[in-house]
Amino acid sequence: MRTPEDGGTGRAFEVTFDGRPVEALPGRTVAAVLWAAGVTSWRTTRDGGRPRGVFCGIGVCFDCLVTVNGRPNQRACLVPARPGDVIRTQEGTGHED
Amino acid sequence: MRTDLAVIGAGPAGIAAALAAARRGIRVALADAAPGPGGQYFRQPAPGLGAEGAVPRNARRTWTRLRDALAASTVDVRPEHHVWCVERESGRLTVHALLGPEQRASVELRADAVLLATGGYETVLPFPGWTLPGVVTAGGAQAMLKGGLVTPGHTVVVAGTGPLLLPVATGLAAAGVRVAALVESTDPARLPRHARALAGKLPEAAGYAARLLRHRVPVLTRHTVVRAHGEERLTGVTVAALDARGRVRPGTERLLPCDALAVGHGMLPHTDLAETLGCRLDGHAVAVDAEQRTDVPGVWAAGEATGVGGAALALAEGHIAGRSIAARLRGTAPDTDTWAPAARARARGRTAAAALHALHSPPAHWGEDVPDDTVICRCEEVTAGAVREALTLGAGDTRTVKLLTRAGMGWCQGRVCAPGVAAVTGCPPAPARRPFARPVPLGVLAAQHDRTTPHDDHPRPEEGSP
């Protein structure tokens, strides 16, 4: 397979994940950007504090919830990454409680 | 906005129906949650990724034909429409959809007919470690590969049962991932008894077999994953052989190191919109007649929503639905002879689907073997032990188990855990009866209420009296 890293038509841009810069390609979801950066978990559960990431990959399971630009509970597998996005690991409900 | 036909879901069934109806002069709106048409099967990488994607070669030809036909048609394609409810009032249908990735604003499409082409989603039965990061559904791994050209790890085990595992394993291998094993619980010795029904699928299966061989993917049939290992993420899986009755054969366990597991045990139809409309279900699927009509006037259904059977079957069903809708909206009965080839394809597809379903049942006794400390409901973190305790407290059905344990009350509304709860309790899964097909912001619901409150025309008694 020809991968986009071999030279896609879109220009790479930067987002941050928990404060560190991550390269993103246009059209990729937040989940795809994080997978490409080798990150597989970006949420901890409410009760057990266990790590979670993508499970169903098509917006059904809500396991990949993440905080993007301060808004928690975004499905990383659906939300497209945009230049400058501030992506943060979501702890529990994502709200301070 | 008003239209003649609103098609919900732009996968193979939805596109085929939209094209068939539009060619016959029907105004069609084709709504889908994704940024572009194609559905899961024809999912395309974003244009900015500049790659041709991971859709198999034979499917690519079909996709090119559908895509070009759609572009040349009068169909009003509406991407990023997340349909949350379809209402039927005095014979008129209203489709409610949240817009864009933000999903904060809702729009309405009014139509005389609605086609539900809502597709399906994957079933995964629970096992120890299945919540670890790195464990993904087989379809999820494929969706991320097709849409984002990304893979879940460097060394992947593909496991479970069903025809989806083949394209997932070959797709990942072609993308440069080392596929440590394809673990399929079905015994290939059962294949011959279904050979006639599956004759049409054999060339495709042979193609996958050749690709597995070329990529040197070890295939373990009559095996299952019994445990996923790791603390913060997946580090390996234990696989074991199954005996003739579907039980793990003691002493056959072995560890396969991997950093990703793509696992699936079949598919379930998306029926939420159909259930809200009051459509009759046949088992898990929306019941339809020979024209793909549901028992609710004005509502048709096609594709995986009416029974999981793959893209070829969905295309045939969608085509028939589109032609039926075109005729019925004109007040005439369709001439079914004119769609005889599609009807034959549908019959073949359904026969093959039934055979595949019989062939690929998950191992028996699955639920009994799930340890007490394994999480069943991923959203609410309810364990198998808690579910079993609910049974001892007198719960006799999955609904009571849900009320006692919260299993199925979380974000996914039980879509993921329902098969697991059913397996552990031995109770058949009850109809979910979800009022909305997806989470809806409270502001959107409040706005609906404002719209239907008759505050303009008639003062309420307490306001009108002095």
Side-chain angles (χ1 to χ4, degrees):
Chain A
M1 183 180 69
R2 207 157 64 87
T3 66
E5 279 78 6
D6 298 339
T9 55
R11 186 169 292 205
F13 57 87
E14 200 174 276
V15 299
T16 64
F17 174 64
D18 287 345
R20 72 178 167 95
V22 171
E23 191 184 79
L25 292 174
R28 273 192 175 153
T29 60
V30 167
V33 165
L34 293 176
W35 270 21
V39 179
T40 52
S41 82
W42 46 81
R43 179 169 83 90
T44 56
T45 60
R46 287 166 300 163
D47 282 355
R50 298 296 299 148
R52 296 281 175 88
V54 168
F55 183 61
C56 82
I58 61 168
V60 172
C61 78
F62 295 82
D63 245 354
C64 67
L65 295 178
V66 68
T67 299
V68 182
N69 300 326
R71 196 177 166 215
N73 298 320
Q74 304 295 297
R75 279 171 280 181
C77 72
L78 296 185
V79 177
R82 290 179 178 148
D85 273 349
V86 177
I87 305 162
R88 290 206 162 273
T89 293
Q90 176 168 331
E91 291 175 10
T93 61
H95 300 281
E96 289 176 35
D97 51 2
Chain B
M1 192 223 129
R2 272 211 57 81
T3 188
D4 298 329
L5 166 64
V7 176
I8 303 168
I15 295 174
L19 290 173
R23 273 184 204 127
R24 287 159 183 83
I26 301 294
R27 284 184 306 165
V28 184
L30 175 58
D32 194 281
Q40 301 303 341
Y41 187 72
F42 295 120
R43 183 187 278 263
Q44 300 297 310
L49 292 176
E52 59 185 17
V55 173
R57 203 167 297 122
N58 51 344
R60 219 176 293 154
R61 274 196 299 275
T62 311
W63 169 244
T64 306
R65 183 171 60 76
L66 292 174
R67 183 197 57 197
D68 294 349
L70 206 52
S73 76
T74 57
V75 175
D76 175 14
V77 179
R78 298 183 154 241
E80 301 197 315
H81 276 52
H82 302 256
V83 177
W84 54 275
C85 185
V86 183
E87 279 182 296
R88 185 170 180 277
E89 259 181 310
S90 39
R92 289 284 179 78
L93 292 149
T94 307
V95 177
H96 298 270
L98 295 168
L99 289 182
E102 290 81 15
Q103 299 189 42
R104 285 194 255 212
S106 190
V107 293
E108 292 179 1
L109 294 171
R110 291 195 177 76
D112 297 320
V114 162
L115 172 74
L116 303 171
T118 45
Y121 60 100
E122 216 169 353
T123 301
V124 181
L125 291 170
F127 54 92
W130 76 308
T131 57
L132 281 168
V135 179
V136 297
T137 67
Q142 190 183 46
M144 294 282 288
L145 180 60
K146 283 181 178 175
L149 307 176
V150 285
T151 55
H154 301 291
T155 304
V156 182
V157 170
V158 178
T161 189
L164 181 61
L165 301 185
L166 294 166
V168 171
T170 54
L172 288 169
V177 171
R178 192 174 84 83
V179 180
L182 170 58
V183 182
E184 163 63 62
S185 60
T186 289
D187 181 353
R190 291 172 60 198
L191 191 57
R193 82 182 72 154
H194 300 289
R196 181 182 285 201
L198 294 174
K201 299 274 183 193
L202 286 180
E204 197 182 342
Y208 286 125
R211 263 167 276 166
L212 289 170
L213 205 61
R214 189 179 341 131
H215 292 293
R216 297 171 200 279
V217 175
V219 179
L220 301 172
T221 55
R222 254 171 84 175
H223 274 68
T224 190
V225 167
V226 292
R227 182 177 285 272
H229 304 275
E231 283 299 320
E232 295 303 302
R233 65 155 303 152
L234 184 74
T235 55
V237 296
T238 295
V239 298
L242 295 164
D243 67 18
R245 289 155 62 196
R247 294 262 194 198
V248 167
R249 278 167 50 201
T252 62
E253 293 93 346
R254 62 184 152 126
L255 180 72
L256 297 178
C258 59
D259 56 1
L261 169 66
V263 59
H265 298 110
M267 301 257 301
L268 281 171
H270 269 301
T271 56
D272 301 318
L273 297 173
E275 286 180 70
T276 310
L277 278 162
C279 300
R280 187 172 65 82
L281 298 191
D282 182 2
H284 289 292
V286 182
V288 288
D289 67 7
E291 290 179 36
Q292 300 293 136
R293 289 180 297 183
T294 73
D295 62 340
V296 173
V299 181
W300 278 252
E304 310 293 56
T306 64
V308 170
L313 176 57
L315 285 169
E317 291 182 346
H319 181 77
I320 291 167
R323 294 181 69 150
S324 164
I325 291 164
R328 296 288 172 188
L329 285 183
R330 296 228 158 73
T332 59
D335 178 2
T336 58
D337 289 346
T338 60
W339 69 51
R344 281 195 296 275
R346 180 175 64 180
R348 279 196 306 272
R350 284 182 179 166
T351 304
L356 283 171
H357 188 74
L359 189 62
H360 289 288
S361 51
H365 317 289
W366 186 283
E368 296 162 38
D369 296 336
V370 177
D372 272 347
D373 61 355
T374 298
V375 165
I376 303 296
C377 170
R378 303 169 64 97
C379 299
E380 297 297 304
E381 300 171 75
V382 180
T383 62
V387 169
R388 291 187 180 115
E389 197 184 322
L391 290 181
T392 65
L393 290 172
D397 56 72
T398 55
R399 187 175 161 73
T400 312
V401 168
K402 170 173 150 182
L403 293 173
L404 288 172
T405 63
R406 295 195 57 80
M409 282 193 193
W411 271 101
C412 88
Q413 287 290 290
R415 288 181 181 86
V416 177
C417 71
V421 170
V424 169
T425 59
C427 305
R433 293 201 201 91
R434 301 174 186 105
F436 306 130
R438 58 186 72 242
V440 183
L442 286 173
V444 168
L445 292 178
Q448 302 293 319
H449 181 71
D450 287 348
R451 186 174 58 80
T452 52
T453 306
H455 48 77
D456 288 333
D457 307 341
H458 307 287
R460 290 176 208 172
E462 65 269 27
E463 290 164 0
S465 42

